[in-house]
Amino acid sequence: MAVRNHRLAALAFFVGMAVLHSWPLASDPAHLARLDNHDAELNTWVVAWVAHALPRQPLSLFEAPILYPEHRSLAFSEHMFVPSVMGAPLLWSGVSPVTVYNLLIIAGFALSGWSMYLLMRRWTGSEWAAIVAGLVYAFNAHTLTRFVHLQAQHVEFFPLILYALDRVIADPSTSLRAGGQRRHALLLAAAFVLQSLCSNYLLVFMTYAMVVAVAVRWNEINTINKRFELIIAGLISIVVLAPFLWPYFQVNREYGLARSADVVTQYNAGWRDYLATGGRMHYAWWSHRLYEGRTAVFSGRRLKEPRVRMVVAIGILGAAMSLGTSLPGYRLLHEFLPLLSGLRNVARWGWLPLAAVAVLAGFGVAELEKPTFAKATVGRGRGVMIAIALLVTIEAIRTPVGFTRFNGIPQVYDRLASQSDVVVAEFPFYSGASVSLNGPYVLANTRYFKPLLNGYSSFHPDTFETRGRILGTFPSEVALAELRGSHVTHVTVHTGRYDADTLKAIDSIAALDLVADQDGIRLYRLK
């Protein structure tokens, strides 16, 4: 019971730290938002769509309504299945998608820190080592500068992967009947799958991190049973993940989802990125000269024990791969290694060094704690540990986070929810370099979840771009012909984005019947 209460107290602590690092979000999660960033609008829509589709059409999960009439449009972005499932009960009970998204951001911070805490508490036996490791892991330059990216906050399963892998490798049991290795192999597979279903990027990172970890500790994998259990864990992971990977394979085959090495070059990390941080103290003092919205990392050396070698190797892997095409030989790796061609922003590999630093920080604090408590009074030693935890927090903190006011989705969209056989196009229609401006339309789609020609994602097929160029001429005859060819039934016009003459021309189109005009949005039915 004492251990259980201890863990619950730690969870409460990391929830508090998540509230602090995201403040003032917790004060009004229903109305504060980062919807000034269109990625937040897309991520909110993804969470809402997954929750909407699961009880209604789970086998058609990837046939999402945006970017109609393209197929498998959910696979144009990350599906974020696990965070979406976490938020589904709230969405089913009527909580707004924006509120759920905000709560999932806080939950991701808290669960990630708590998970690392549990790992380092188990590995070091030190409470303070676990706290510091959890703080460094959950609240760092990568997670805090990618605040709007929900998938970047939900890394709570990686510590569980490290724990399970270590147990499979280090477990002295050689008998499958003992069940130890089998249990840990199943745990490894489950943790790997759950982490991979948070983010496609994390799927790739976890895959190669595990390859490196096994290579570094290969001399310990000295029995048939251990190798067999690793193979079993891998096979289970592949089987479970296959239904989620297949739509991406289909999209790549049909539209060309894979990124070329030349595209990757735009997202290479450099040595300056490993000096920059978004923490307010650093940013105001010196980091603003280097900061470009990317990742930061800190270096350190620790013991040469197997666990440390493993996480150091993982950190080196991430740092090297984050250099992208600046790394000699990367183009060959990109061409021939599985999954790499699906990554665009290779600088995000820099998360792995930060994860490694968190583990090393835990080991370092545990080592420091011994002489501190041995040579000083307990009270003074505890003061040193508290000071370290405070310094880690102050170093990273970015609060108060800037939010915008969200007053809800315009009620005009409710008219679309109550009708069947609806296909919608919103104007102005954005494509090309302006495609992210479709973000508000995507968010509004959570009110009705009917086919929408507009869309925003990390990938846009050429067919969408061609359609977008035509619809960009609306209200021309060629644009109206494209709408009819796409079976559009309803058109919305955002009046604040057009001049009076264009609005008059739209109203004069005989094929458009005005259905509603409210909140600066005109809803027409296309005959």
Side-chain angles (χ1 to χ4, degrees):
M1 181 63 72
V3 173
R4 182 179 178 183
N5 291 339
H6 208 67
R7 290 172 178 171
L8 290 176
L11 176 59
F13 169 78
F14 280 102
V15 169
M17 294 306 297
V19 169
L20 171 64
H21 280 278
S22 61
W23 189 259
L25 184 60
S27 67
D28 191 4
H31 298 102
L32 295 179
R34 280 299 315 275
L35 298 177
D36 56 312
N37 186 303
H38 299 303
D39 286 354
E41 293 168 324
L42 172 63
N43 286 357
T44 303
W45 173 84
V46 170
V47 169
W49 166 250
V50 172
H52 174 84
L54 281 181
R56 295 174 176 84
Q57 51 190 86
L59 298 182
S60 300
L61 177 66
F62 283 86
E63 292 291 348
I66 64 170
L67 297 162
Y68 182 83
E70 313 298 345
H71 292 292
R72 294 174 287 274
S73 58
L74 182 60
F76 297 166
S77 302
E78 299 200 65
H79 54 70
M80 298 187 294
F81 186 77
V82 167
S84 299
V85 170
M86 290 180 180
L90 290 174
L91 288 162
W92 295 336
S93 66
V95 180
S96 81
V98 170
T99 302
V100 172
Y101 170 82
N102 286 337
L103 294 176
L104 286 173
I105 289 285
I106 296 173
F109 281 130
L111 291 174
S112 297
W114 187 54
S115 179
M116 181 58 75
Y117 163 89
L118 294 176
L119 173 70
M120 296 310 295
R121 189 73 171 80
R122 178 66 68 97
W123 276 4
T124 66
S126 166
E127 183 75 12
W128 288 107
I131 289 174
V132 170
L135 291 173
V136 174
Y137 183 68
F139 312 107
N140 55 58
H142 182 92
T143 57
L144 295 176
T145 57
R146 291 187 63 199
F147 189 91
V148 300
H149 295 149
L150 180 62
Q151 63 271 45
Q153 319 309 334
H154 280 270
V155 289
E156 59 265 35
F157 302 105
F158 179 58
L160 187 57
I161 293 173
L162 293 180
Y163 169 77
L165 179 64
D166 179 69
R167 294 314 303 149
V168 170
I169 295 175
D171 193 337
S173 171
T174 57
S175 172
L176 289 179
R177 288 177 296 179
Q181 285 179 310
R182 177 178 298 173
R183 205 165 49 246
H184 293 134
L186 292 175
L187 179 61
L188 174 60
F192 183 90
V193 166
L194 289 171
Q195 191 62 84
S196 298
L197 292 180
C198 291
S199 164
N200 294 343
Y201 273 82
L202 291 173
L203 163 63
V204 180
F205 298 166
M206 294 302 99
T207 298
Y208 287 99
M210 292 304 97
V211 170
V212 167
V214 168
V216 168
R217 300 185 64 175
W218 184 252
N219 63 318
E220 298 176 71
I221 309 173
N222 50 15
T223 68
I224 295 297
N225 286 347
K226 291 181 180 181
R227 295 172 186 176
F228 177 75
E229 294 301 319
L230 288 175
I231 292 172
I232 289 298
L235 291 176
I236 292 174
S237 299
I238 291 172
V239 170
V240 177
L241 290 173
F244 294 90
L245 293 174
W246 181 248
Y248 290 94
F249 173 78
Q250 291 177 301
V251 167
N252 183 50
R253 185 174 58 184
E254 185 173 352
Y255 299 110
L257 181 62
R259 271 71 174 195
S260 69
D262 291 332
V263 171
V264 168
T265 300
Q266 304 173 47
Y267 300 93
N268 291 345
W271 66 269
R272 289 165 61 92
D273 298 306
Y274 284 90
L275 295 177
T277 176
R280 291 196 178 277
M281 178 182 70
H282 294 285
Y283 190 86
W285 182 22
W286 59 274
S287 183
H288 63 277
R289 300 181 182 91
L290 302 169
Y291 179 67
E292 296 178 356
R294 291 187 177 174
T295 301
V297 71
F298 315 95
S299 62
R301 296 180 179 178
R302 281 304 305 145
L303 308 174
K304 294 183 178 181
E305 65 177 65
R307 291 168 177 167
V308 174
R309 291 203 312 272
M310 178 173 70
V311 297
V312 167
I314 290 172
I316 292 173
L317 166 72
M321 296 299 285
S322 72
L323 300 177
T325 54
S326 298
L327 177 69
Y330 180 86
R331 289 181 180 272
L332 286 175
L333 298 177
H334 181 87
E335 184 72 22
F336 295 107
L337 287 184
L339 303 176
L340 286 190
S341 62
L343 300 187
R344 178 181 59 172
N345 195 332
V346 291
R348 293 178 183 173
W349 278 97
W351 171 77
L352 281 179
L354 282 171
V357 165
V359 176
L360 296 178
F363 280 122
V365 170
E367 194 69 14
L368 176 65
E369 188 176 17
K370 297 174 183 177
T372 299
F373 281 95
K375 297 179 180 179
T377 65
V378 173
R380 185 178 301 173
R382 185 175 293 111
V384 171
M385 295 300 128
I386 291 173
I388 292 174
L390 284 174
L391 286 173
V392 166
T393 300
I394 294 171
E395 185 277 331
I397 201 162
R398 289 170 56 83
T399 51
V401 179
F403 293 101
T404 57
R405 180 79 180 176
F406 173 69
N407 293 315
I409 295 170
Q411 293 183 355
V412 68
Y413 291 101
D414 292 340
R415 294 175 177 264
L416 299 171
S418 62
Q419 302 184 42
S420 59
D421 300 324
V422 168
V423 178
V424 183
E426 301 220 41
F427 291 94
F429 194 103
Y430 297 104
S431 60
S434 301
V435 68
S436 66
L437 296 179
N438 287 316
Y441 307 155
V442 171
L443 180 64
N445 186 252
T446 61
R447 296 292 291 184
Y448 59 96
F449 283 127
K450 304 292 174 57
L452 172 68
L453 265 65
N454 310 73
Y456 171 53
S457 66
S458 58
F459 171 79
H460 304 91
D462 292 339
T463 47
F464 168 80
E465 294 297 340
T466 300
R467 189 178 307 110
R469 286 191 291 271
I470 295 173
L471 294 179
T473 66
F474 180 81
S476 68
E477 284 297 327
V478 66
L480 291 172
E482 180 65 30
L483 292 175
R484 293 191 182 95
S486 299
H487 309 290
V488 169
T489 62
H490 290 77
V491 169
T492 66
V493 174
H494 293 255
T495 58
R497 303 179 190 180
Y498 287 102
D499 57 41
D501 290 339
T502 303
L503 291 175
K504 187 177 297 184
I506 293 172
D507 274 335
S508 68
I509 298 174
L512 294 176
D513 283 341
L514 184 64
V515 176
D517 185 355
Q518 59 187 104
D519 300 320
I521 302 173
R522 293 180 184 175
L523 174 63
Y524 297 89
R525 183 170 184 86
L526 179 63
K527 295 179 183 178

